[in-house]
Amino acid sequence: MTRFPILSLAIRSIANRRGTALLTILTVAIAMTLFLGVEKVRHGARASFENTISGTDLIVGARSSPVNLLLYSIFHIGDATNNITWETYQQIANAPGVAWTVPISLGDSHAGFRVVGTDNRYFEHYRYAGRRQLEFAEGRPLDALFDTVVGASVARELGYSLGQEIVVAHGTGRVSFVEHDNNPFEIVGILSPTGTPVDRSVFVSLEAIEAIHLEGPTGAGTTLSVEELLAMDLSPDQITAFLVGLETPVAALRLQRQINTYRVEPLQAIIPGVALSQLWSVVGVAERTLAAVAAFVVLMGLICILTAILTSLNERRREMAILRALGARPGHIFTLMVSESALLAFTGAVIGTGLTYGVLAAGAPVLEQQYGVHLTETLPGLFDLSLIALVTGASAILGFIPAWAAFRNSLADGMTIRT
């Protein structure tokens, strides 16, 4: 005889109604998969968002709001309120404790993709997703004056390959009436996918930004040759922003205060992690709403269990009566119904958890390359086990309703023959 007769009886009872039980388990499994999937992607999206830039201690730009500075300097959304003079940039770059800086100049575009004027220090020092370095899928960094490196999304969506020539346009729209077509750029490098705004960027040198704007506002007039341009001093007069890496990160607050109180021109220095958290508090409403919807789906799965058991109660009144006649006490009947509810939920939750991790394992590379969502958890953890226990416990509690109804059914009521 089994040591757990009620549990054994509950399993046999569920097996006897396998069709309804399988549909109920499937409902719970799908609900669990949706909830866990949303949670994993939600946390992965937040972590990836917060790791859009890492390893940079400060971002410096013209004085504005921290979120605006973050948006145009890293996400390449919007425009700066003002520029930074080259002299100021050099002064801060040479300040004690500064290990490296990366200048950034914005204002042009190509086919709707933002053109970023910088130098090869960008590819050397820019980090994302936990200090991962930018890698070249093909080609090399910038070398000649009119070299360009494009992000993975730019190359994929526009069908570009190494050696192709592209034209940079003034402004940030997809259609521009002022194109710098006298000096086209040659693609010498294509970056590997990162899932960050880098993928949708076109990188050129700061000197090239200066060179293309020497043509005049309409591109008409005398065109300077490459030899003539190389003979000129193409150092920029202004840049849009720059990234700062410090020898000792603990000095970030001190340098930030010095830059924010800089008297020569109005500047602002922000700590990327702090600004990203502020931005997420604004854009994170959607992911919280999605999590709430997924939680309601799990609740609906539990209600399906309750509905299935309540629906079968009238058909099982004779079964309950026979059990009572064989010596089962009312408490046994109550425990049986609760056990069935808990078993259905537990089985569905376990299947749903396994299905979630199977789907995530298969889709993780796509999520990371196409959407920049990096999933770190590949095996069930404490949260998943706690969720299985919570769903099972909640189902057991809901099982009190049909259990109480079965408890109240009398033996005579169950054995009465109705015509």
Side-chain angles (χ1 to χ4, degrees), residues 34-385:
L34 179 60
F35 180 78
L36 270 180
V38 167
E39 280 297 295
K40 300 302 178 185
V41 173
R42 186 170 70 93
H43 287 293
R46 178 164 189 169
S48 299
F49 181 87
E50 293 177 347
N51 284 323
T52 299
I53 180 172
S54 62
T56 295
D57 296 303
L58 292 173
I59 302 173
V60 182
R63 191 169 297 167
S64 62
S65 70
V67 170
N68 183 50
L69 174 54
L70 180 73
L71 283 175
Y72 71 73
S73 63
I74 302 303
F75 291 91
H76 306 155
I77 298 174
D79 296 294
T81 57
N82 206 345
N83 287 330
I84 303 171
T85 62
W86 186 250
E87 291 76 13
T88 293
Y89 161 69
Q90 288 183 314
Q91 184 175 349
I92 298 176
N94 295 323
V98 175
W100 54 265
T101 58
V102 177
I104 295 173
S105 182
L106 303 172
D108 293 315
S109 66
H110 169 71
F113 295 100
R114 205 68 182 260
V115 171
V116 180
T118 185
D119 54 38
N120 287 328
R121 285 177 291 178
Y122 191 100
F123 311 119
E124 179 183 354
H125 294 294
Y126 189 93
R127 298 288 188 275
Y128 70 100
R131 294 181 177 271
R132 295 174 64 177
Q133 188 172 3
L134 297 178
E135 297 179 354
F136 281 83
E138 298 179 73
R140 56 171 174 80
L142 304 171
D143 184 16
L145 179 60
F146 289 108
D147 283 352
T148 180
V149 172
V150 299
S153 297
V154 177
R156 184 181 67 252
E157 294 182 22
L158 300 181
Y160 286 162
S161 58
L162 296 181
Q164 284 190 250
E165 291 188 345
I166 64 173
V167 173
V168 170
H170 185 67
T172 58
R174 181 170 289 274
V175 178
S176 177
F177 297 101
V178 182
E179 293 188 341
H180 307 290
D181 52 359
N182 290 325
N183 288 306
F185 288 83
E186 180 185 355
I187 298 176
V188 297
I190 298 175
L191 295 172
S192 299
T194 64
T196 71
V198 171
D199 294 346
R200 304 185 62 81
S201 302
V202 176
F203 298 93
V204 301
S205 66
L206 292 171
E207 293 78 11
I209 292 290
E210 292 296 311
I212 62 176
H213 289 99
L214 290 176
E215 302 170 346
T218 63
T222 305
T223 301
L224 298 175
S225 66
V226 175
E227 289 76 14
E228 290 175 313
L229 290 171
L230 290 175
M232 301 173 63
D233 180 11
L234 296 176
S235 298
D237 295 325
Q238 298 178 330
I239 58 174
T240 308
F242 60 94
L243 313 181
V244 179
L246 301 176
E247 295 175 356
T248 306
V250 293
L253 291 176
R254 177 179 55 81
L255 182 59
Q256 181 186 29
R257 183 169 56 253
Q258 292 176 356
I259 294 174
N260 289 343
T261 56
Y262 191 67
R263 294 186 177 182
V264 178
E265 58 181 300
L267 299 179
Q268 182 177 35
I270 62 173
I271 298 174
V274 175
L276 282 167
S277 297
Q278 293 175 351
L279 182 57
W280 183 258
S281 66
V282 177
V283 303
V285 176
E287 58 94 20
R288 290 192 293 271
T289 303
L290 191 60
V293 171
F296 275 109
V297 171
V298 174
L299 179 61
M300 291 303 298
L302 297 178
I303 292 176
C304 284
I305 294 178
L306 175 61
T307 303
I309 296 178
L310 283 173
T311 303
S312 66
L313 270 186
N314 194 51
E315 301 173 358
R316 300 177 64 190
R317 297 181 81 164
R318 188 173 299 276
E319 175 189 338
M320 300 296 129
I322 293 173
L323 290 174
R324 292 281 301 277
L326 292 175
R329 298 177 181 179
H332 293 150
I333 302 298
F334 187 93
T335 305
L336 173 64
M337 302 301 292
V338 172
S339 299
E340 287 186 19
S341 180
L343 274 174
L344 289 171
F346 176 77
T347 305
V350 170
I351 293 175
T353 301
L355 183 61
T356 299
Y357 279 92
V359 171
L360 291 180
V366 177
L367 284 173
E368 182 170 358
Q369 291 186 9
Q370 300 295 327
Y371 304 102
V373 178
H374 180 62
L375 303 178
T376 57
E377 298 181 12
T378 56
L379 293 174
L382 183 60
F383 173 80
D384 308 288
L385 298 178

